[in-house]
Amino acid sequence: MSQNKTTAVTMDDFLSGIWRENPVFVMLLGMCPVLAVTNSVINALAMGLATTFVLLGSSAIISLLRHWIPKEVRIATYIVIIATFVTIIDYAIQAISLELYNALGAFIQLIVANCIILGRAEAHASRQPLLKTLTNGLGMGIGFTIALLALGSVRELLGNGSLLGHDIFGAHFEPWVVMILPPGGFFVLGAWLLLFNYIREVKKQKRLAESRAASGTTARALV
Amino acid sequence: MPGESLSFIFLNAFLINNFVLALFLGICPFLGVSGKINTAWSMGLASAFVMLISSICAYFINEVLVAFNIEFLRLISYIAVIASAVQLVEMSMKKFSPVLFRQLGIFLPLITTNCAILGLALFQTFKEYDFTQSLSYSLGAGAGFTLAIVLMAGLREKLELAEVPSVSKGAALSLMLAGLLSLSFMGFAGLGGGH
């Protein structure tokens, strides 16, 4: 983890969570909600936003209290703070849309056990000032939401032939039911990881070829 | 739901709605600690043990919360109890069985963030199971978690020997494998009349 010693808020704090340290695709954290609730776009979006809210709220409180929390009981303290925010969002979603609440089920309450949030609290919020923590937390939350949407859209498109409830492929499309069932979650996430690995591999090859070409020209120049 | 038989509850948690492969709980240890069969066994058994203890605790806590009409504290008290149960198990294991402690030691703190355990406590509350039903449910869930993680470890040990394209090494292939495992577990869905 890159720990900048400066207190200034940089663009890097925000962007690292979205791409370079994306919690789902790079760090493979918080897999349970990623796989469980992404059978449609709307569920994925709700889950992403709820997690972002808890992440921001808990990081803010932990960052403000970081000089007062004793080292020995810090994990327990973090968990209680996180659980408080999860309870808030749990009741909020129940009040806003009961349908959504039933679709997400116990997974809203299970945000407590999401290792992204505890990991952020331990690695970032407990050491950095408020504004820096919030920026980083927002980046992580957005990165998490993007990952959930990436899974949710593919699964809804293939498994149901629709996107956000609108029919895309028309009546002749035979849905791949397996995609909205549990195995589909594993398959789609695996496929996304394959794609990212492939992109990384191609970039690496390209860089290798470039450096080889560069060293080749210098060698020729020397001759 | 009240009225379900104990054997059905056990089978339901064990195979039909397997905690890992059908409900997606406890994916982190499932992917993280399934490299070798031995460690997978240890992790599975340690989790099953903590599941049993926290399920019993959660049952009584829920009784108290309902009696005082303060259900909104459920989540906070459950997670606090699970964290302290893990701590307790760790300490008593260190005292009474140092050999077992050395085998499981590193996994115990990980169990606190295993959402299968919190999930178990929440589900048994939602389903309004009584005490014996909760016991049966937690035993089934623990056995199911152990089964899934050991099967996965077996598959991955074989996979070490296979030649795969370098792009698909690591997590991507493990996820595909988990998908196939989950697909085969869907075959159990017909058991018990399709609940």
Side-chain angles (χ1 to χ4, degrees):
Chain A
M1 201 121 317
S2 61
Q3 288 290 346
N4 303 0
K5 285 280 171 258
T6 53
T7 49
V9 181
T10 56
M11 203 59 196
D12 192 56
D13 285 328
F14 180 64
L15 288 178
S16 71
I18 296 180
W19 179 248
R20 207 183 59 242
E21 287 177 14
N22 187 298
V24 177
F25 291 136
V26 179
M27 301 206 286
L28 296 178
L29 289 177
M31 292 315 229
C32 307
V34 170
L35 295 166
V37 300
T38 53
N39 46 14
S40 78
V41 177
I42 194 79
N43 288 356
L45 188 64
M47 190 67 199
L49 293 181
T51 309
T52 309
F53 169 77
V54 175
L55 189 56
L56 284 179
S58 58
S59 318
I61 300 281
I62 290 167
S63 176
L64 287 175
L65 293 177
R66 69 185 186 282
H67 298 303
W68 285 282
I69 297 175
K71 276 269 172 298
E72 297 78 24
V73 292
R74 63 179 196 286
I75 300 287
T77 319
Y78 297 162
I79 286 190
V80 171
I81 293 172
I82 295 169
T84 312
F85 279 99
V86 174
T87 309
I88 294 173
I89 198 76
D90 185 51
Y91 279 89
I93 293 182
Q94 210 167 347
I96 295 166
S97 162
L98 203 58
E99 197 187 339
L100 193 63
Y101 183 78
N102 290 334
L104 293 177
F107 278 95
I108 305 171
Q109 306 203 351
L110 285 175
I111 295 177
V112 177
N114 190 328
C115 16
I116 296 173
I117 298 174
L118 198 60
R120 277 296 92 187
E122 171 76 5
H124 210 274
S126 59
R127 295 179 194 159
Q128 309 280 2
L130 179 64
L131 213 58
K132 204 172 166 72
T133 304
L134 280 183
T135 325
N136 185 273
L138 190 65
M140 281 284 163
I142 293 176
F144 184 68
T145 312
I146 290 175
L148 283 173
L149 284 177
L151 255 82
S153 50
V154 172
R155 286 180 73 184
E156 191 181 337
L157 201 61
L158 294 178
N160 206 15
S162 63
L163 210 56
L164 275 170
H166 299 290
D167 250 345
I168 299 285
F169 290 141
H172 295 294
F173 179 68
E174 190 69 42
W176 308 5
V177 181
V178 70
M179 281 299 164
I180 43 174
L181 293 175
F186 287 114
F187 288 139
V188 175
L189 185 58
W192 275 111
L193 288 180
L194 268 183
L195 182 69
F196 287 133
N197 279 351
Y198 179 72
I199 294 174
R200 216 168 293 147
E201 193 89 340
V202 168
K203 266 190 187 161
K204 214 166 93 190
Q205 295 286 342
K206 217 175 182 179
R207 214 173 305 135
L208 214 66
E210 264 168 22
S211 67
R212 207 173 288 148
S215 65
T217 48
T218 48
R220 228 172 290 135
L222 281 176
V223 170
Chain B
M1 281 128 259
E4 286 176 12
S5 73
L6 294 182
S7 55
F8 172 73
I9 292 174
F10 179 82
L11 267 185
N12 184 29
F14 182 41
L15 293 175
I16 306 167
N17 281 317
N18 186 290
F19 263 54
V20 179
L21 296 168
L23 298 180
F24 294 121
L25 295 169
I27 300 286
C28 297
F30 175 68
L31 291 176
V33 202
S34 61
K36 289 210 177 69
I37 292 187
N38 285 341
T39 46
W41 263 117
S42 307
M43 182 69 193
L45 291 179
S47 305
F49 186 57
V50 176
M51 274 181 183
L52 186 63
I53 291 180
S54 51
S55 156
I56 295 171
C57 296
Y59 178 78
F60 288 111
I61 288 172
N62 192 45
E63 293 287 291
V64 173
L65 291 181
V66 170
F68 285 101
N69 217 357
I70 43 174
E71 285 99 337
F72 58 88
L73 286 178
R74 189 182 283 144
L75 188 62
I76 296 181
S77 39
Y78 277 10
I79 190 81
V81 160
I82 289 170
S84 37
V86 172
Q87 200 79 52
L88 207 68
V89 168
E90 196 176 343
M91 286 193 303
S92 55
M93 211 181 255
K94 204 172 185 175
K95 177 110 174 58
F96 296 114
S97 167
V99 181
L100 197 64
F101 177 74
R102 232 171 294 140
Q103 277 178 349
L104 298 183
I106 43 168
F107 299 126
L108 285 169
L110 266 180
I111 295 175
T112 318
T113 53
N114 183 341
C115 48
I117 294 171
L118 183 62
L120 172 78
L122 290 172
F123 284 142
Q124 78 176 30
T125 314
F126 292 154
K127 294 187 175 188
E128 295 173 6
Y129 283 155
D130 64 21
F131 186 65
T132 46
Q133 284 175 322
S134 302
L135 271 186
S136 169
Y137 193 53
S138 66
L139 285 175
F145 181 77
T146 312
L147 178 72
I149 196 169
V150 169
L151 280 179
M152 185 69 182
L155 288 173
R156 281 177 68 175
E157 274 193 359
K158 288 265 179 270
L159 198 67
E160 294 266 296
L161 304 172
E163 286 213 10
V164 293
S166 65
V167 187
S168 64
K169 272 202 180 112
L173 204 59
S174 302
L175 280 164
M176 290 288 176
L177 211 56
L180 290 178
L181 202 56
S182 160
L183 201 59
S184 58
F185 262 69
M186 284 183 62
F188 292 118
L191 275 179
H195 280 286

